[in-house]
Amino acid sequence: MLDLFAGARLTPTQRRIAHCLVERAGTAAALSSAEVAELAGVSQPSVTRFAIALGYPGYPALRRALRDVGGGPADDGGEDNAMQVAIKAEAEHLQRLKEQLGSLDAVQKAANLLVASRPLPVLGLRAAAPLAGYFGYFASKVHPDVRVWDTGGTSLLDRLDQARVAGAGAMLALVLPRYPRESLEVVKEARAMGYAVVAITDSAVSPVAEDAAVVLPAAVGTRLVFDLHTGPMAMAMVLLQAMCDADPEPVQRRLEEFEAAAARRQLFQG
Amino acid sequence: MLDLFAGARLTPTQRRIAHCLVERAGTAAALSSAEVAELAGVSQPSVTRFAIALGYPGYPALRRALRDVGGGPADDGGEDNAMQVAIKAEAEHLQRLKEQLGSLDAVQKAANLLVASRPLPVLGLRAAAPLAGYFGYFASKVHPDVRVWDTGGTSLLDRLDQARVAGAGAMLALVLPRYPRESLEVVKEARAMGYAVVAITDSAVSPVAEDAAVVLPAAVGTRLVFDLHTGPMAMAMVLLQAMCDADPEPVQRRLEEFEAAAARRQLFQG
DNA sequence: CAGACTATGCATAAAAACTTTCAGAAGCCA
DNA sequence: TGGCTTCTGAAAGTTTTTATGCATAGTCTG
């Protein structure tokens, strides 16, 4: 299916269309050009032009191609390889996370604690370091002073002190298996210093649970050689969303400023 | 789907049409009335009349009904909040990724390119930087010389040079929306220098596609204020798994060494 | 066996979908 | 900045798809 689109140079509008079609893989062939246009938020002629850009004589031809490719496989009964088993398990984790988010109390409580903290330390060591960076990257766009702590060492405790003095009241801790000893120590120390610790971890009975003010559990995938952190990643972004919702006005302003700066510096393509 | 046809008293010709539609369940919605007629061996007006017999105002209405029943992922009813909608979409992305991994050709090709490269550069700028770090963190445990490039600037091109001289033959590029201009430039340059670039990106039509030797697409969630990268994260780990599979012996040895070291230094709890 | 009714396909009219043209807008390069 | 190219949507034009009238063949009933 994806190969159908390969090779062609596409305009931004066309990329939106492609994206929209890829997303609905199987059902795309059932859509008329006008319906695709509406879903992609573009004009109907753009859809025709998209088909032609791909080398088809027109939209109906593209649709036939979609039908032939998309309709084919659709085997959910069969033999899955190891990768598929792992990804399927991940999809189920997220499904469960979705159910769990039926009640947002814990998330909102955590969000309120974190938005109020200036600065806002984000702790994630070893395997969790990238997740801390990920959260920090986006959080910085809506919070004026996010501090990502992703390397260990004794200086961590100093930074904990400094942040506390600077006014930090809460901390986000990302603590995933295999639970780095150092992360646990920092959390314990933070609690002793009066921080309200929000912990994203892999289960409600994780070792950080006892020292955390709020525990946000999200399962970790363990079917491959290395752990898959999609659940905690999703949880982190849900938390960030809740932080934005909790404090919408400054968020919107900061995002607009970022957009303006990005455009000015031509950071992105498309 | 089958219920759609229930209740109505059908003529023999109409029964043939119904049978034909049921047989092609999923793809039926993509067919025009004339195509259905041909498949069923009846005249086109009979198909229209069939739709009317079922109580629809015309064939297009039947087609829409077919699409909604056959295509839809069967929503479980309730009112979902924004977070749940987003997580659900993520779960569906992973589901689709799972289908896509039914064929591992692209992943294996990518894995073979990457395991053979020493050093192995991993590029991920801006929002993709944490993902690069994540991949790099684990990849380092099974590959002797992984170099994570997660900050931009002109020195990137120098490092590209140095790695090439040092023997790198391939590079992993993580390029996600909004497609940092700098990432695209580096990939283009890398290709010109003879690197085989493996790109993990959000769709097969991403701007990196044209310069990549292998494109591994994985959808990005866009339902929240900020993007959710669970799909690319999962894809990255699948790729790493494939790299381990491609070269199992040294992998096992390095992992054991890591375990021994971790135990010695008491890195983890539990 | 005749008359009446239903079912079906053909031809064609109506409607919808698709393509093309054109003009405005946005980005690029000097 | 200003001219140039490229992209995009609105509207008009063209083709395809769908609906309907009509004639024929088959079937049931008396």
Side-chain angles (χ1 to χ4, degrees), chain A residues 63 84 134 225 227 241 267, chain B residues 63 98 134 225 227 241:
Chain A
R63 202 159 113 165
Q84 289 182 295
Y134 179 74
V225 177
D227 286 352
Q241 173 83 34
L267 280 177
Chain B
R63 202 160 112 166
K98 183 210 134 192
Y134 179 73
V225 177
D227 286 352
Q241 173 82 35

Side-chain angles (χ1 to χ4, degrees), chain A residues 69-252:
Chain A
V69 176
D75 59 325
D76 352 59
E79 315 270 307
D80 290 343
N81 59 48
M83 317 288 193
Q84 289 182 295
V85 169
I87 301 301
K88 190 169 169 217
E90 263 335 79
E92 281 159 16
H93 286 166
L94 289 186
Q95 196 62 43
R96 211 161 311 125
L97 177 56
K98 183 208 133 191
E99 302 302 336
Q100 177 185 331
L101 290 172
S103 161
L104 290 172
D105 295 348
V107 173
Q108 274 160 1
K109 183 176 168 199
N112 288 330
L113 286 171
L114 298 182
V115 288
S117 179
R118 300 233 167 129
L120 171 58
V122 177
L123 175 75
L125 301 182
R126 305 196 66 87
L131 216 44
Y134 179 74
F135 181 89
Y137 175 79
F138 291 118
S140 302
K141 295 184 182 176
V142 296
H143 185 289
D145 190 3
V146 177
R147 302 190 183 174
V148 174
W149 296 343
D150 58 3
T151 50
T154 51
S155 69
L156 252 184
L157 296 177
D158 298 343
R159 285 184 270 174
L160 201 58
D161 253 332
Q162 290 156 12
R164 189 74 179 127
V165 169
M171 174 173 101
L172 174 62
L174 298 149
V175 185
L176 301 177
R178 331 243 308 254
Y179 314 117
R181 172 175 298 272
E182 207 172 2
S183 292
L184 299 177
E185 285 164 6
V186 171
V187 169
K188 200 171 280 293
E189 181 62 22
R191 185 199 185 181
M193 287 172 61
Y195 280 94
V197 177
V198 173
I200 293 183
T201 186
D202 71 314
S203 91
V205 294
S206 133
V208 277
E210 54 187 302
D211 292 307
V214 185
V215 175
L216 300 175
V220 165
T222 55
R223 302 294 227 275
L224 298 177
V225 177
F226 299 114
D227 286 352
L228 247 175
H229 293 171
T230 60
M233 171 181 265
M235 179 61 98
M237 292 320 269
V238 164
L239 176 59
L240 185 51
Q241 173 83 34
M243 288 170 61
C244 293
D245 294 347
D247 191 18
E249 192 275 312
V251 164
Q252 199 50 43

